[in-house]
Amino acid sequence: MTTYSHWDVLMASPSNPISEERKRHQLTRMHEGLEALEKSPKPTLDDWQVVADAINMMEMFVEMGVAQDPDDLLEDAMDAMQKAGHRSIGGDKPIRLDGCHITTIRGMLEDYETILSELPERTVIAAHRQAEKRLVKILSGKPGKRDRAVTK
């Protein structure tokens, strides 16, 4: 089940960005997640997930052609999140980012914030829906050739 339906995409504004309240909610959660991955003694899977969601959304924006990644930072960010997730499997280590990757992830979140301020709500919701559908496909074990996402 996805967060947004086809009707949500159709009903979203084709010209105005998402509301300030929705944008603030998303960005607050993502920045709190990143801060926990950086500093918390026991970051949670939810902390990791909200940051991974932002990176997956950035990947979808690039695939849709509404954002660019000329320096290939997206690939670095995805690798960093996967490494952090894999290190924590088994419960003996907290979900933690390498120091060198924190700057990359922080930059991705800044780009995400800019995109949320500029893209029409319809585009953001359509990207969210596509990213979720792709993740469901990957987790079901039936990804296509181009399907990838940050997963633990």
Side-chain angles (χ1 to χ4, degrees), residues 54-74 107-108 110-120 123-124 127:
I55 294 166
N56 287 332
M57 287 290 294
M58 287 299 295
E59 181 185 29
M60 188 56 61
F61 291 137
V62 169
E63 285 183 15
M64 291 172 68
V66 296
Q68 297 178 359
D69 183 27
D71 299 324
D72 290 327
L73 295 178
L74 187 55
M108 294 302 299
E110 288 171 11
D111 290 348
Y112 187 73
E113 182 172 356
T114 300
I115 284 174
L116 288 182
S117 298
E118 295 176 359
L119 286 180
T123 303
V124 172

Side-chain angles (χ1 to χ4, degrees), residues 3-127:
T3 302
Y4 296 107
S5 72
H6 178 70
W7 292 108
D8 292 316
V9 174
L10 292 175
M11 298 303 292
S13 172
S15 56
N16 296 323
I18 64 171
S19 70
E20 281 298 316
E21 180 183 342
R22 285 172 98 178
K23 182 175 91 171
R24 187 173 39 257
H25 173 73
Q26 283 187 24
L27 295 174
T28 298
R29 290 193 65 221
M30 290 170 195
H31 284 290
E32 287 173 350
L34 179 58
E35 185 173 338
L37 292 176
E38 293 174 355
K39 301 174 186 175
S40 173
K42 291 191 175 190
T44 67
L45 183 56
D46 188 54
D47 295 325
W48 181 90
Q49 187 64 54
V50 296
V51 176
D53 287 346
I55 294 166
N56 287 332
M57 287 290 294
M58 287 299 295
E59 181 185 29
M60 188 56 61
F61 291 137
V62 169
E63 285 183 15
M64 291 172 68
V66 296
Q68 297 178 359
D69 183 27
D71 299 324
D72 290 327
L73 295 178
L74 187 55
E75 193 70 38
D76 292 343
M78 292 176 78
D79 288 343
M81 292 301 290
Q82 287 175 336
K83 287 176 185 173
H86 288 300
R87 274 194 298 272
S88 72
I89 293 175
D92 57 334
K93 295 181 181 178
I95 301 173
R96 191 76 67 210
L97 292 168
D98 291 335
C100 61
H101 290 117
I102 291 171
T103 303
T104 301
I105 302 294
R106 194 174 286 134
M108 294 302 299
L109 292 182
E110 288 171 11
D111 290 348
Y112 187 73
E113 182 172 356
T114 300
I115 284 174
L116 288 182
S117 298
E118 295 176 359
L119 286 180
E121 178 185 38
R122 182 174 292 170
T123 303
V124 172
I125 290 175

